[in-house]
Amino acid sequence: MSTIGDKILDTALSKIGEKSLFTKELENALERNEVDLVVHSLKDLPTTLPSGFTIGAVLKRENPHDAVVLHPKHIGKTLETLPDNSVIGTSSLRRAAQLKKRFSHLEFKDIRGNLNTRLKKLDEKADFAAIILAAAGLRRMGWDNRISQILGPEDCMYAVGQGALAVEVRARDADILEMVSVLHDPDTVLRCIAERAFLRHLEGGCSVPVAVHTEVKDSQLYLTGAVYSLDGSDSLKETMQTSPVLQEIPIEEVDEQFQRVGVTASKISGEAQDRAERLGIDLANLLLSKGAKEILTVARQLNDAR
């Protein structure tokens, strides 16, 4: 099904001003009982879902990092080694803010469209030396061979929920919730609950540069979160950790009200989910106490004025 985000291809996402760009039409079909479940990229789903819907499954995460796809004439280079003033295409404020700061010799311009369109724009015109895309999308399409470089967290942290697929269902459909719940990947669920709680508490969205990095290591959940000014010159970045205890718990009655940042995962330890959500909120509060609100407010105003 096509969505607003698929149809409006001449405007940067952060400028359209609609929170549910890639989800609204799908949710309408879900509401009208025309479909029983819809599959999204989790990063397209707002941190607060419309009433009556829930995320019934978060699948095992694909590589969440961003990838550099070079114009054929630059094959073999990296962002570091591209000539001065090379133009890089990305319509993500988050990517542009981080990369401008890190690679000040490059220029960044908006590029919109689905993967095919963007790759075509890159290959057939001389406008861009490279474009930045989510590695997950390229891999799912079987286009791994186009990935010239994967950007690690020191170069570019990813978007909340990036690389994970989410299955959205009607919150009252207990049987469908039960059916899709087997698709939940526990580590991904906890990481994404922490990331979404962080973003929701910061009140971030498409129109502000917010980035995260999470990992589960030795049963500790680590969350790094950052906010940036549009040109990346101003930023705040912090890391916190918690220890989510992952144990199987008996299946309880699914409580429609019991969602964490839109996710219903009744088979994963409630305590572990609570800790993950708390971690996101605590990290957001830490950044807010250091001035994150001001950075994001200015970023939002500047973006609106562009």
Side-chain angles (χ1 to χ4, degrees), residues 52 90 98 112 117 134 138 146 189 215 217 231 266 272 276 281:
T90 173
Q98 293 179 81
R112 284 287 328 278
T117 315
L138 289 163
R146 291 304 310 260
V189 169
E215 55 183 330
K217 209 166 60 185
D231 64 357
S266 57
I281 294 169

Side-chain angles (χ1 to χ4, degrees), residues 5 32 38 89 103 117 138 148 176 211 213 219 246 258-259 262 269 272 290 295-296:
R32 293 192 297 262
V38 289
F103 304 100
T117 315
L138 289 163
S148 310
I176 291 180
H213 177 75
S219 76
L246 258 189
F258 220 64
Q259 298 186 26
S269 151
K290 296 187 170 200
I295 294 178
L296 292 178

Side-chain angles (χ1 to χ4, degrees), residues 242-256:
T242 179
S243 50
V245 192
L246 258 189
Q247 67 254 29
E248 292 301 313
I249 56 156
I251 293 145
E252 299 156 17
E253 270 305 295
V254 177
D255 176 2
E256 183 187 327

Side-chain angles (χ1 to χ4, degrees), residues 30-31 33 35-37 49-56 167-178 180 253-259 262-264:
L30 196 55
E31 190 160 30
N33 290 317
V35 298
D36 296 305
L37 40 114
L49 296 183
S51 171
F53 300 121
T54 189
I55 296 164
V167 182
E168 189 180 16
V169 301
R170 289 179 290 269
R172 61 171 189 279
D173 287 351
D175 51 341
I176 291 180
L177 261 171
E178 174 64 26
V180 299
E253 270 305 295
V254 177
D255 176 2
E256 183 187 327
Q257 302 320 311
F258 220 64
Q259 298 186 26
V263 180
T264 299

Side-chain angles (χ1 to χ4, degrees), residues 22 40 93 96 99 107 125 149-150 158 171 186 215 268 285 292 299:
F22 294 102
H40 306 281
L93 299 179
L99 297 173
E107 279 184 44
K125 294 189 182 147
Q149 180 185 2
I150 297 265
Y158 41 82
E215 55 183 330
I268 294 170
N285 281 332

Side-chain angles (χ1 to χ4, degrees), residues 24-51:
K24 208 175 203 144
E25 283 80 356
L26 300 167
E27 285 172 343
N28 290 345
L30 196 55
E31 190 160 30
R32 293 192 297 262
N33 290 317
E34 290 166 12
V35 298
D36 296 305
L37 40 114
V38 289
V39 183
H40 306 281
S41 290
L42 180 59
K43 75 171 177 158
D44 294 335
L45 275 175
T47 50
T48 304
L49 296 183
S51 171

Side-chain angles (χ1 to χ4, degrees), residues 18 26 58 76 84 88 114 121 127 149 201 233 235 237 263 289 295:
E18 162 65 62
L26 300 167
V58 179
D84 284 4
I88 311 300
N114 59 28
K121 282 181 186 169
D127 299 0
Q149 180 185 2
H201 204 69
S233 60
S235 65
K237 177 170 156 187
V263 180
S289 74
I295 294 178

